[in-house]
Amino acid sequence: MLRTLRSTRAVLRAPAAPQQQRRALSIHEYQSMELLGKYQIPVPRSVAAHSPEEAFKAAQSFEGKGMVIKAQVLAGGRGKGHFEGGLQGGVHLIKTAEEARDYASKMIGHKLITKQTGAGGRICNAIMLAEMRAPAHEYYVAVLNDRATQLPVLVASNQGGMNIEDVARDTPDAIITTPIDFEKGLTNEKALEVAAKLGFSSKELEQSAADTFIKLYNLFKDKDATQVEINPLAESKDGAVLCMDAKLGFDDNAEFRQKDIFDLRDVSQEDPDEVEAAKSGLNFIKLDGNIGCLVNGAGLAMATMDTLKLNGGNPANFLDVGGGATAEAVKTAFELLLSANPKSLFVNIFGGIMRCDVIAEGIIQATKELDMTVPLVVRLQGTKEAEAKQMIKDSKMKIFAFDDLDEAAAKAVEAAAKGSL
Ligand code: GDP
Ligand code: MN
């Protein structure tokens, strides 16, 4: 079910503003760099700073050779992004500690807006400084799980850098995908084959790239990663293979055995309402319509939204209460649903493990305590359905109850259009 929900989320969010995905934890670049270092994966020397003054001090050790200052937000496309305060670009090449302080003051405390953050952007609370190692060529490398082969794959391209999305769209042949045996890992032979195809300027560098691929996979496997993306992996002008940017994702289901990684979670990069929902054991997904949906189960969530769409409506969000929610959690659920100012609310519950009477109790509590004026359409079926219906009836609340999904959805759409019933 988590799997379904994860893909649901990906599909639903792709076109709009994708938020941080809680089901695949992301960590900051400076944390990723440290982790890569532990695997002896070659990275430029780097250090994080959380204030302009800290950046000034840290930058002193890089003066002379020059350095790169990079905004730390959990989103890609920083290089081409812009700050709310006006600064263009989340990655800059600089020379002095004074410049580091100046850029840090324009980055820290400001929101960076990139292709991946949506218009709201994401707050930058830290910067990373890295020693200057000029790239002679930029490559793209990633380890991912591949649905088609049901294996991890190494994805590589010799046209890495900031335009990789265009490369994938316009010249898909420039991307090499190599399946990896999950247990055995990446063999030196295969890794070398990929490195040779990418093309490095010497046999030594080719071997160094191959070693890097192997270690990236080992990290991927050991740490229960869902994604290890290096863009760019560079051949530097001073003759080294280096990972210059890393975006790592980790499977939330592995939290219990990856404590050190999950301790790095930064909730300032997540949607506060979704964080709140997770605390109550609820799955909350924001969308861009005007009908709030309370459901149980990912499948029913999909069916509910499809039915609303078929009836000409558009969900504002959906909240999956799962199987074990209490009446109190249902009330929290309503608070979250209402935060989007929906024009109507649609409750569609199939009572199995989740009992309809518990939902009804939560609904009635919420309607009373939250002073709800939004029209509420309810469809309850299954365990303790009769009791639930009686409770709603006895409450004398203005709740519209239906047995048929299509009728209920049509009513919710009508209510949203009119703003009342
Ligand atoms: P992204 O836009 O969020 O993926 O940020 P990146 O970290 O990939 O930075 C964007 C671009 O800045 C890269 O494609 C490189 O050209 C450049 N860049 C990033 N890190 C370094 C670095 O450590 N050294 C140098 N010289 N350039 C870098
Ligand atoms: Mn990058």
Side-chain angles (χ1 to χ4, degrees):
M1 155 156 142
L2 266 175
R3 190 168 290 278
T4 326
L5 225 110
R6 186 184 304 148
S7 50
T8 297
R9 206 177 159 89
V11 169
L12 285 171
R13 293 205 145 169
Q19 295 286 334
Q20 170 59 25
Q21 289 199 12
R22 242 180 306 107
R23 286 169 192 84
L25 174 84
S26 290
I27 62 173
H28 286 290
E29 181 185 23
Y30 70 89
Q31 299 164 329
S32 301
M33 288 292 156
E34 201 179 313
L35 188 58
L36 295 186
K38 284 187 186 151
Y39 278 76
Q40 272 94 47
I41 295 166
V43 292
R45 186 169 71 85
S46 67
V47 57
H50 293 81
S51 70
E53 221 35 55
E54 225 187 291
F56 175 75
K57 287 203 188 97
Q60 285 164 356
S61 73
F62 295 105
E63 272 184 331
K65 263 175 77 183
M67 65 198 103
V68 189
I69 184 165
K70 307 176 81 173
Q72 299 298 287
V73 299
L74 292 181
R78 293 167 302 166
K80 292 187 164 181
H82 67 276
F83 282 88
E84 213 173 33
L87 178 67
Q88 281 297 320
V91 179
H92 291 270
L93 304 181
I94 56 171
K95 290 212 164 65
T96 65
E98 279 78 18
E99 279 178 285
R101 176 164 53 201
D102 185 43
Y103 272 105
S105 71
K106 290 178 177 138
M107 292 177 167
I108 296 173
H110 299 275
K111 283 184 175 166
L112 179 67
I113 298 133
T114 81
K115 247 201 271 184
Q116 295 187 11
T117 61
R122 208 157 277 168
I123 186 76
C124 173
N125 292 319
I127 56 99
M128 186 183 95
L129 294 165
E131 63 174 334
M132 184 61 176
R133 302 288 293 273
H137 191 87
E138 297 190 353
Y139 305 82
Y140 173 95
V141 183
V143 183
L144 305 161
N145 285 315
D146 178 43
R147 272 170 204 269
T149 51
Q150 301 195 9
L151 287 172
V153 288
L154 179 73
V155 179
S157 171
N158 70 0
Q159 295 173 42
M162 292 195 280
N163 297 319
I164 189 67
E165 280 92 356
D166 301 340
V167 175
R169 188 189 59 226
D170 302 334
T171 46
D173 290 348
I175 293 177
I176 307 163
T177 303
T178 311
I180 302 171
D181 183 300
F182 180 78
E183 287 300 337
K184 288 188 199 133
L186 191 60
T187 60
N188 188 52
E189 193 190 347
K190 262 197 194 167
L192 263 177
E193 207 178 290
V194 177
K197 278 188 201 158
L198 296 185
F200 290 85
S201 53
S202 73
K203 284 282 162 213
E204 273 136 297
L205 288 179
E206 218 169 86
Q207 185 58 58
S208 169
D211 291 342
T212 301
F213 303 160
I214 292 168
K215 288 171 186 164
L216 289 172
Y217 175 70
N218 294 343
L219 184 159
F220 175 89
K221 182 169 179 243
D222 291 355
K223 299 295 179 188
D224 292 306
T226 50
Q227 154 180 316
V228 171
E229 183 188 68
I230 309 297
N231 186 33
L233 174 125
E235 177 178 327
S236 62
K237 287 184 181 158
D238 58 17
V241 167
L242 290 167
C243 296
M244 290 194 166
D245 178 22
K247 299 215 160 55
L248 308 188
F250 303 90
D251 188 343
D252 268 7
N253 294 308
E255 181 168 356
F256 73 98
R257 61 180 185 193
Q258 302 291 356
K259 200 169 174 313
D260 55 335
I261 302 272
F262 279 79
D263 282 348
L264 301 176
R265 181 174 169 196
D266 178 0
V267 293
S268 80
Q269 303 289 304
E270 298 178 23
D271 184 290
D273 288 338
E274 295 188 14
V275 172
E276 192 53 38
K279 277 190 204 152
S280 303
L282 306 164
N283 290 308
F284 182 50
I285 312 289
K286 286 188 176 174
L287 300 163
D288 53 13
N290 59 7
I291 304 171
C293 302
L294 183 88
V295 298
N296 65 326
L300 194 61
M302 296 293 94
T304 304
M305 290 186 291
D306 283 350
T307 316
L308 286 173
K309 286 257 181 195
L310 283 172
N311 281 282
N314 216 352
N317 46 34
F318 77 82
L319 200 145
D320 174 8
V321 291
T326 58
E328 189 58 28
V330 174
K331 200 187 121 202
T332 306
F334 268 89
E335 282 169 355
L336 289 165
L337 288 177
L338 289 170
S339 68
N341 294 319
K343 291 280 189 287
S344 71
L345 285 180
F346 185 23
V347 176
N348 187 19
I349 297 287
F350 187 79
I353 299 169
M354 184 75 243
R355 287 163 30 189
C356 292
D357 59 336
V358 174
I359 296 283
E361 192 188 329
I363 294 174
I364 294 164
Q365 255 186 40
T367 324
K368 271 189 198 150
E369 291 172 32
L370 302 175
D371 198 20
M372 253 168 38
T373 52
V374 183
L376 178 56
V377 176
V378 173
R379 175 182 177 255
L380 294 166
Q381 298 255 283
T383 311
K384 301 269 181 184
E385 173 184 331
E387 288 86 342
K389 284 180 173 161
Q390 193 58 48
M391 284 162 72
I392 289 176
K393 210 168 161 195
D394 294 347
S395 77
K396 308 237 170 13
M397 300 272 171
K398 215 178 161 196
I399 298 171
F400 300 89
F402 289 87
D403 287 334
D404 183 78
L405 172 57
D406 207 46
E407 276 174 29
K411 198 73 177 170
V413 173
E414 188 195 328
K418 283 197 211 156
S420 66
L421 271 176

